[in-house]
Amino acid sequence: MVRDAQEWDKLSTDLGRAYGSNDDELIEQLRPQFLQSWRTATRYVLHDTFDAAGIAVTDPSHPWGIAILTANGTSCEPLLCGSEDAGTEKAGAGGGALQLLTFADAMTHYTDCVALLFDERDY
């Protein structure tokens, strides 16, 4: 479940290449690993933290979503792909290869999503 940034970035690169070359067997092998780490950490590891902050966690709606986070009537869904790929599962903008996020980019996007929930809250 836990990967360091270098392992994550290698998995992201390998999976991106698999999509680029239409290697369905490799995609089927790597995609669950890619998604599971983030989804498990959000759903279980961070459960108490999110619960204490008043953030509900539900299953993602996007194929590359981590989870839907909701607080005070505001929801967001951090993704593991670039925003230009948000409407698709396989193809990037202009039919290019899917652009999966690096660990640092995924963390930034995740943090930005959580920050939106707090920006909307009254203290």
Side-chain angles (χ1 to χ4, degrees):
M1 179 176 86
V2 178
R3 302 178 190 284
D4 66 24
Q6 292 161 331
E7 288 175 306
W8 177 262
D9 289 346
K10 181 177 178 350
L11 181 57
S12 177
T13 298
D14 291 347
L15 184 55
R17 285 184 183 145
Y19 272 104
S21 65
N22 293 315
D23 186 339
D24 291 335
E25 186 175 316
L26 188 55
I27 291 167
E28 192 169 312
Q29 176 188 351
L30 297 177
R31 190 169 189 263
Q33 297 175 48
F34 188 80
L35 294 168
Q36 192 62 30
S37 293
W38 286 95
R39 290 178 177 175
T40 299
T42 299
R43 174 71 72 185
Y44 300 106
V45 177
L46 298 173
H47 177 269
D48 292 341
T49 302
F50 282 142
D51 193 46
I55 299 173
V57 178
T58 56
D59 290 338
S61 63
H62 189 279
W64 295 102
I66 297 170
I68 296 174
L69 308 174
T70 304
N72 199 31
T74 301
S75 294
C76 65
E77 183 174 11
L79 301 177
L80 295 171
C81 64
S83 60
E84 62 277 0
D85 298 309
T88 66
E89 184 171 347
K90 283 191 170 184
L98 176 71
Q99 295 298 306
L100 300 174
L101 299 180
T102 64
F103 182 82
D105 290 339
M107 286 298 295
T108 297
H109 180 55
Y110 197 103
T111 302
D112 291 347
C113 283
V114 172
L116 289 173
L117 300 176
F118 288 105
D119 287 346
E120 298 294 324
R121 295 180 68 170
D122 295 324
Y123 291 97

